[in-house]
Amino acid sequence: MTIPDNCTFCGLCCTLTVRLSEKDIKRIEKGSGRKREEFVAADNDGKPLLKRENGWCTFFKREGRIGICTIYENRPNNCRDFPGKRMCDLAENPIYNYTDKKTEEGKRIMQLLNNAPTSATSEEKIKRSQEEAERTFKGISGK
Ligand code: SF4
Ligand code: SF4
């Protein structure tokens, strides 16, 4: 799966729970140089999940309004498959109705929501965000 057509690189999807396979773990260890204890958490049944810090995936980084995956080439298959369709509608998911806006994590999620696309977001705004993301990625990679 490639990036959805309306992706604004808001980074909201990097707040979701991500399951890891053994293959994912080995690939990330090799690519990032980090040991599994540093990025693997467990669900109630002991199955591996990507570790989160203050609500964010441990590999997530924010540059201004743009969310960046610092292990993009080696990211887990779950992340590669998201959202599984051409358009992202995560911002309209009711789970965010219950976000506690008073907590630090809640405040950050609301910031991301402001930059996430919904069905009402104009093509122009999406284009602007994508151009900003392109500039940000160029700045980081130096290309
Ligand atoms: S939540 Fe959707 S729009 Fe935001 S970064 Fe993820 S895929 Fe892109
Ligand atoms: S591995 Fe990358 S794409 Fe997946 S949740 Fe973490 S930062 Fe986001």
Side-chain angles (χ1 to χ4, degrees), residues 7 15 18 25 36 43 53-54 64 73 75 96 109 137:
C7 182
T15 65
V18 179
I25 296 172
R36 68 172 59 207
D43 68 8
E53 287 160 17
N54 304 320
E73 296 299 324
R75 70 199 187 285
Y96 295 110
I109 286 182
F137 294 137

Side-chain angles (χ1 to χ4, degrees), residues 3-4 6-14 67 82-83 88-91 112 115-117:
I3 294 164
N6 64 341
C7 182
T8 54
F9 298 86
C10 65
L12 193 59
C13 47
C14 301
F82 183 86
C88 176
D89 55 8
L90 182 62
L112 295 193
N115 199 28

Side-chain angles (χ1 to χ4, degrees), residues 28-77:
I28 295 169
E29 275 193 312
K30 200 166 165 215
S32 71
R34 283 171 71 177
K35 295 212 163 37
R36 68 172 59 207
E37 313 72 273
E38 296 173 49
F39 63 87
V40 179
D43 68 8
N44 292 339
D45 298 322
K47 295 206 179 108
L49 299 175
L50 203 46
K51 200 181 264 184
R52 301 200 307 172
E53 287 160 17
N54 304 320
W56 261 263
C57 165
T58 183
F59 294 113
F60 179 76
K61 188 175 154 202
R62 200 165 173 215
E63 292 277 339
R65 293 190 313 139
I66 302 300
I68 289 165
C69 172
T70 57
I71 55 159
Y72 190 74
E73 296 299 324
N74 298 303
R75 70 199 187 285
N77 277 347

